[in-house]
Amino acid sequence: MLENHLPTAELQALDAAHHMHPFTDGGALNKKGARIITGGKGVFLTDSDGNRILDAMAGLWCVNIGYGREEMAQVAANQIRQLSFYNTFFQTSHVPAIELAQRLAELAPGDLNHVFYNGSGSDSNDTNIRIVRHYWATKGKPDKQIVISRWNGYHGSTIGSGSLTGMKYMHEQGVPMIDGIAHINEPNWWADGGDMTPEDFGLMRARELEAKIHELGEGNVAAFIAEPVQGAGGVIVPPSTYWPEIQRICDAHEILLIADEVITGFGRTGKWFGSQTMGIRPDIMTIAKGLSSGYIPIGGSLMSDEVADVINDGGDFNHGYTYSAHPVAAAIALENLRILDEEGIVERTGSVVAPYLKAKWESLTDHPMVGEAKIVGAMGSIALTPHKESRAKFAGKQGAVGYICRERCFANNLVMRHVGDRMVISPPLVITEAEIDLLIDRARLSLDEAYDKAKAEGLFKVA
Ligand code: PXG
């Protein structure tokens, strides 16, 4: 533990000198200095200057049970004493891997009874690409190779998962997509819906999948991957017509459906899995983040009986990571699932947090800069706009006003992220009603300040 740490400025200087941050303009950050987080308890973080920050992002969409649970520390310590590491490559297994696999099979919907363990969401989606291609090859259809995903979907940042990811700014940065990936448009009615009703628009965007399958040839398409609710893309909640139509299309054609539940899993949407909330039946599920509440990295690819049977009958599956089924990570995940279940956290998210947060969150639409407010369970977004009726974008650089708002939030001891000009939240599921009130008070104050600043800087103009 680093309790008696160096002064903030010294830590910042060392950070700038030696630590390179993900998805960050390093040069700009090094001049400014990072905020140094020193502790976490429940929904609050502390920083090196003694601020107490309400973390409405649950770390990075992951700390579902809240920070600093003593039981988790005990389980990790005990497991390290018992068996700190062993691999599962060479015909061996261990108790945490077995118990966690059994528990996941119980919790996951349908017959998703089998897990391949990975270390994170990104490498889980790399695994999924390998699984679906090997699956079809084993079934005598080696041409079925292409995985279809969506623009503005997020599936990770390795070369494989980053190719699935639909953020063009990632593809542009020296990471050409791997072969055999195709993208369709996202069901983002606020941004792209024009004069259509959300329902008609949802159907139209879902049918892009069918059109893409026809264009590529059904015999060449392995799978479709999507987040039940897009997270990193800005908490885009699809219109009600979208998922039923996607399910119909996957069923009508020979296409595996992969639900990327890295954010939506483990209670985030008010049920154990977002697939249950959105009424879909995936063949494969990507899990990570909330699986361990972020206490230790772990991810997984959950798959149906049929997919697992084919893979298991296909001879050697030439894939795996050193830390697949890491025993400490598996033990931590099991303890996390016990806490989520026995403390009724998933159930309470649906019955208490979701309705309370929804009412408060939607009340923000009376703010002059807030257009739509969207929320599913405990993941929500608001669209910032200079003109609500026309759903207009801001005239200047996209995301400039969102960035100002995020900076005001940070200054007001609230972590709320911006995705372009959408503000997003995903607080720990253990958040109380009083803490939700505090979240909304700080969000409103930050919106007011950002609104004033955007006006003063001439940014509050319709594009
Ligand atoms: N799938 C989904 C749906 C995700 O949200 C990943 C896969 C990749 O997981 P790993 O564990 O490899 O990071 C994610 C991760 C953001 C942000 O800014 C979101 C993620 C990661 C980093 C930043 O919202 N999601």
Side-chain angles (χ1 to χ4, degrees), residues 23 57 60-61 119-123 125 154-157 161 227 231-233 260-263 286 288-289 417 419:
F23 283 95
M57 281 307 299
L60 207 45
W61 320 82
S120 71
S122 297
D123 58 27
N125 280 324
Y154 190 82
H155 301 293
S157 191
S161 66
E227 304 150 83
D260 186 338
E261 296 256 11
V262 166
I263 286 177
T286 322
K289 294 195 191 266
R417 252 177 52 49
V419 178

Side-chain angles (χ1 to χ4, degrees), residues 40 88 163 170 297:
T88 52
S163 299
M170 286 171 64

Side-chain angles (χ1 to χ4, degrees), residues 40-51:
K41 191 79 191 160
V43 302
F44 290 99
L45 298 165
T46 43
D47 71 10
S48 54
D49 293 330
N51 292 301

Side-chain angles (χ1 to χ4, degrees), residues 120-426:
S120 71
S122 297
D123 58 27
S124 296
N125 280 324
D126 279 29
T127 294
N128 291 339
I129 296 171
R130 302 279 294 262
I131 287 173
V132 298
R133 290 180 174 175
H134 186 50
Y135 168 89
W136 287 116
T138 304
K139 284 183 78 133
K141 299 190 175 173
D143 292 338
K144 283 176 83 69
Q145 287 277 304
I146 301 173
V147 182
I148 302 175
S149 67
R150 304 181 297 184
W151 295 118
N152 204 38
Y154 190 82
H155 301 293
S157 191
T158 53
I159 299 281
S161 66
S163 299
L164 296 173
T165 288
M167 275 65 180
K168 289 184 184 157
Y169 56 86
M170 286 171 64
H171 298 168
E172 280 159 7
Q173 217 171 52
V175 187
M177 292 197 294
I178 59 167
D179 285 343
I181 308 287
H183 291 85
I184 59 171
N185 287 308
E186 60 176 328
N188 184 345
W189 176 80
W190 176 265
D192 304 335
D195 294 333
M196 294 179 86
T197 64
E199 291 71 26
D200 286 348
F201 175 75
L203 275 182
M204 185 188 80
R205 283 282 154 104
R207 286 177 186 155
E208 284 194 22
L209 175 60
E210 200 154 40
K212 187 59 91 177
I213 293 167
H214 289 315
E215 178 195 321
L216 298 167
E218 189 175 320
N220 299 316
V221 179
F224 173 63
I225 183 168
E227 304 150 83
V229 178
Q230 284 156 266
V235 184
I236 311 298
V237 183
S240 60
T241 47
Y242 182 77
W243 273 116
E245 185 66 0
I246 291 282
Q247 183 73 59
R248 180 195 69 73
I249 293 165
C250 290
D251 291 346
H253 304 279
E254 230 184 7
I255 306 296
L256 295 172
L257 174 58
I258 309 172
D260 186 338
E261 296 256 11
V262 166
I263 286 177
T264 52
F266 306 101
R268 177 57 55 199
T269 67
K271 294 200 160 85
W272 275 95
F273 295 96
S275 294
Q276 294 160 321
T277 302
M278 305 314 274
I280 49 179
R281 288 175 281 99
D283 302 287
I284 297 175
M285 240 187 212
T286 322
I287 54 174
K289 294 195 191 266
L291 167 59
S292 65
S293 282
Y295 277 66
I296 283 188
I298 182 170
S301 303
L302 281 172
M303 67 202 88
S304 68
D305 289 341
E306 208 263 334
V307 173
D309 286 348
V310 171
I311 299 292
N312 286 335
D313 288 345
D316 278 341
F317 182 45
N318 299 317
H319 176 64
Y321 309 107
T322 301
Y323 299 129
S324 292
H326 192 290
V328 183
I332 275 284
L334 259 175
E335 181 63 5
N336 174 62
L337 298 182
R338 185 194 68 72
I339 291 171
L340 282 171
D341 181 29
E342 287 181 12
E343 296 185 7
I345 294 170
V346 175
E347 199 279 323
R348 180 180 168 275
T349 303
S351 62
V352 178
V353 176
Y356 192 80
L357 185 59
K358 181 175 161 66
K360 297 272 168 179
W361 189 245
E362 289 177 348
S363 76
L364 293 174
T365 53
D366 67 10
H367 192 279
M369 194 164 62
V370 176
E372 70 168 3
K374 288 299 214 182
I375 190 152
V376 179
M379 61 191 291
S381 59
I382 47 179
L384 307 184
T385 172
H387 190 253
K388 300 184 191 209
E389 291 68 31
S390 60
R391 312 202 302 269
K393 293 190 167 78
F394 291 100
K397 188 172 170 250
Q398 297 305 297
V401 177
Y403 180 78
I404 292 173
C405 189
R406 186 195 76 169
E407 292 302 282
R408 293 322 307 154
C409 289
F410 237 126
N412 292 318
N413 286 332
L414 172 69
V415 179
M416 178 155 79
R417 252 177 52 49
H418 82 112
V419 178
D421 291 312
R422 285 183 93 86
M423 304 305 299
V424 301
I425 56 162
S426 166

